């Protein structure tokens, strides 16, 4: 018999409960957003102080009883304040994130509706919205209509799926297959290869030219050597914007090698791919349209909150074949309902995931709400700022810029009057430490061919010309003061 009790299920909030909840949450988030233009960025020293301050909640298992939202929000806000303020315009390290708020709103909407998008028959309309975003991207990258794709949690997952797609070309025993890339490629490729079952020796590092681009001549040589030694050349993984320097491999030339040698042509465009929206980017990314697979990150070039990457595959049948599961008898009723009159992908059959968040909305909403032009302009501004940084650093005699930026990363180091590499490394690290100490911007160093290099990576949507001027001024002050001290000591 059905219960007539009116006891409320505390887990099942009503519309009014939800509105009350939002009335507490939204002002906190609005205040954070209003403070953001003035708030800087520094790297946290750990979680101990935060855990001590909130020992009754943060360092405890969840209690049996309910707690007031206000108390919990307090803990969350303190946790956010403890950690690196990634949405700050001062984020100039690694590849910066942004946190586009329209996308966070879409996440909330998607979560409340909680539609199931692994199988298109269950949520054809939401899947259609996500499929439209993918179709737009396929066309932006110049891929043919046979292409398909999926939204992932990030580029690492996209690259893993790309490796699995490429691997499908090999016999069941694929251990002789080899993949070619440069030593500037993001480490998620070697991770993906390992996860896909390849031995560590399967990844070949192709030498680069003096701009850190893949040497096509060396690539040809390595492929020939491998064939002669009984290996099976499988894939070339080129970069469309390396993490270290934003370098784009010669995509047209690499594509020609891939075609000639019948290899899978993968492009890691996680960082650089969305610059395709700009005229300058499109020219520099020429050749990307020949790719068999492209990995992109919406949480980089489209400024989304962390958690959205994308894989595009030239032949969507290959993507499906590489990821589809065996028969699932428990889904038989759904198959009977398949009455879609348009082609819709089943994302649960084209990805390592089955059940997944309704990711499409977090991309679809901001694109339509702001319009594509707003993204193009923001990316163009990042290219302008990077050019400005390049020219300003070149005017500082104490600084050596590595290469003219192709995208929005400027890599440089401090010069030593006596040309000592060790002194240059120390000064470069010191420079970055002194800039970061002010807490307004955050830069990082990297190592490139045995040298410590500082980087200014401009991809945060809130990075303005004023923030860049401030950064340049701090660098100028540091190098001039150091030069004066060095001169006094000699
Ligand atoms: C060029 C490049 N490829 C791949 C990745 C990995 O992307 P994700 O962290 O989204 O998995 C990154 C991350 O910074 C990257 O810069």
């Amino acid at each position: 018999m059905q219960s007539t009790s009116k006891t409320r299920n505390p887990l099942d909030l009503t519309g009014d409960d939800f509105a009350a909840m939002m009335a507490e949450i939204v002002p906190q988030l609005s205040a954070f957003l209003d403070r953001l233009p003035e708030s800087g960025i520094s790297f946290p020293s750990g979680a101990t102080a935060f855990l001590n301050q909130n020992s009754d909640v943060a360092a405890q298992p969840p209690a049996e009883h309910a707690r007031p939202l206000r108390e919990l929000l307090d803990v969350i806000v303190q946790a956010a304040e403890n950690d690196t303020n990634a949405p700050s315009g001062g984020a100039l390290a690694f590849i910066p994130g942004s946190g586009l708020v329209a996308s966070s709103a879409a996440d909330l909407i998607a979560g409340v509706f909680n539609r199931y998008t692994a199988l298109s028959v269950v949520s054809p309309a939401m899947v259609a919205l996500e499929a439209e975003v993918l179709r737009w991207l396929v066309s932006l990258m110049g891929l043919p209509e046979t292409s398909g794709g999926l939204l992932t949690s990030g580029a690492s997952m996209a690259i893993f799926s790309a490796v699995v797609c490429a691997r499908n070309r090999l016999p069941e025993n694929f251990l002789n297959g080899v993949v070619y890339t440069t030593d500037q490629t993001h480490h998620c490729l070697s991770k993906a290869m390992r996860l896909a079952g390849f031995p560590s020796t399967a990844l070949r590092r192709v030498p680069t030219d003096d701009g850190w681009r893949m040497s096509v001549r060396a690539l040809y040589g390595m492929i020939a050597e491998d064939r002669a030694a009984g290996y099976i050349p499988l894939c070339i993984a080129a970069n469309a914007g390396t993490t270290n320097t934003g370098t784009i491999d010669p995509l047209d030339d690499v594509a020609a090698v891939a075609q000639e040698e019948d290899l899978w042509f993968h492009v890691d465009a996680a960082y650089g791919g969305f610059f395709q929206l700009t005229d300058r980017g499109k020219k520099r990314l020429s050749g990307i349209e020949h790719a068999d697979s492209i990995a992109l990150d919406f949480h980089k070039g489209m400024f989304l909150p962390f958690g959205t990457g994308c894989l595009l595959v030239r032949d969507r049948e290959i993507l499906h074949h590489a990821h589809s599961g065996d028969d699932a008898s428990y889904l038989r009723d759904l198959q009977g309902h398949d009455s879609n009159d348009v082609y819709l992908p089943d994302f649960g059959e084209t990805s390592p995931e089955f059940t997944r968040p309704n990711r499409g909305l977090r991309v679809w909403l901001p694109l339509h709400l702001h319009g594509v032009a707003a993204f193009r302009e923001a990316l163009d501004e990042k290219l302008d700022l990077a050019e400005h940084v390049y020219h300003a650093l070149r005017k500082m005699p104490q600084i050596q810029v590595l290469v003219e930026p192709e995208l929005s990363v400027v890599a440089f180091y401090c010069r030593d009057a006596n040309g000592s590499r060790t002194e240059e490394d120390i000064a470069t690290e010191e420079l970055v430490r002194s800039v970061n100490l002010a807490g307004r911007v955050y830069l990082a160093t990297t190592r490139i061919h045995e040298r410590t290099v500082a980087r200014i990576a401009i991809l945060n949507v809130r990075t303005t010309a004023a923030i860049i001027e401030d950064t340049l001024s701090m660098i100028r002050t540091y190098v001039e003061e150091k030069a004066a001290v060095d001169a006094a000591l000699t």
Side-chain angles (χ1 to χ4, degrees), residues 190-479:
S190 58
K191 190 162 139 186
M193 297 269 298
R194 206 167 63 240
L195 289 171
F198 285 96
S200 59
T201 48
L203 196 53
R204 302 281 195 264
R205 300 293 183 175
V206 183
T208 50
D209 62 18
D210 53 10
W212 287 276
R213 283 179 289 262
M214 185 182 282
S215 155
V216 172
R217 185 208 282 238
L219 175 64
Y220 267 123
M222 288 171 81
I223 294 171
E225 262 176 42
D226 279 332
R227 285 203 202 282
Y231 290 101
I232 312 175
L234 168 65
C235 166
I236 310 171
N239 288 297
T242 59
T243 316
N244 270 343
T245 52
T247 297
I248 303 171
D249 284 325
L251 301 180
D252 273 312
D253 297 344
V254 175
V257 180
Q259 198 186 13
E260 225 170 280
E261 299 281 346
D262 192 24
L263 305 190
W264 184 275
F265 176 37
H266 171 72
V267 179
D268 179 351
Y271 156 56
F274 285 107
F275 284 101
Q276 178 85 345
L277 278 171
T278 68
D279 287 344
R280 281 172 285 183
K282 200 172 163 72
K283 268 194 212 113
R284 292 167 200 174
L285 291 165
S286 168
I288 198 166
E289 68 278 9
H290 301 302
D292 289 300
S293 56
I294 305 175
L296 294 137
D297 251 340
F298 281 91
H299 58 222
K300 293 186 171 71
M302 293 294 276
F303 316 116
L304 259 62
F306 297 126
T308 315
C310 178
L311 175 67
L312 300 178
V313 177
R314 186 173 209 85
D315 180 345
R316 61 177 175 242
E317 290 305 319
I318 295 179
L319 180 66
H320 186 266
H321 185 249
H323 292 87
S324 55
D326 293 334
D327 251 7
S329 56
Y330 35 83
L331 298 175
R332 61 193 289 273
D333 294 352
L334 297 179
Q335 283 149 14
H337 277 282
D338 198 348
S339 60
N340 283 333
D341 43 4
V342 287
Y343 165 75
L344 288 175
D346 287 323
F347 296 121
E349 297 287 308
T350 55
S351 127
E353 295 175 319
F354 191 50
T355 301
R356 62 199 291 277
N358 180 3
R359 284 198 187 98
L361 275 195
R362 59 181 1 231
V363 182
W364 183 89
L365 183 68
L367 269 170
H368 286 270
L369 183 73
H370 299 302
V372 175
F375 291 91
R376 180 176 299 111
E377 279 161 28
L379 287 166
D380 254 326
E381 185 207 19
K382 304 304 159 205
L383 293 176
D384 290 343
L385 290 175
E387 274 178 26
H388 175 68
V389 167
Y390 170 69
H391 291 296
L393 289 178
R394 293 247 320 196
K395 286 195 189 123
M396 299 182 202
Q398 307 87 347
I399 294 283
Q400 177 69 49
V401 182
L402 254 66
V403 274
E404 185 166 356
E406 287 181 278
L407 295 172
S408 66
V409 175
V410 189
F412 60 97
Y413 61 87
C414 292
R415 292 161 99 155
D416 176 66
N418 302 316
S420 154
R421 171 76 63 99
T422 313
E423 289 304 318
E424 289 179 338
D425 286 354
I426 293 170
T428 304
E429 266 178 42
E430 259 314 304
L431 161 67
V432 167
R433 204 171 301 133
S434 99
V435 169
N436 291 348
L437 209 58
R440 298 196 293 277
V441 303
Y442 190 76
L443 311 182
T445 61
T446 184
R447 292 280 292 172
I448 302 180
H449 294 185
E450 312 292 309
R451 175 184 282 292
T452 299
V453 173
R455 300 164 63 258
I456 298 181
I458 305 171
L459 200 62
N460 181 292
V461 75
R462 303 181 181 91
T463 299
T464 57
I467 291 174
I468 290 300
E469 281 315 325
D470 182 33
T471 310
L472 287 170
S473 150
M474 286 191 278
I475 293 174
R476 198 174 294 112
T477 304
Y478 174 87
V479 292

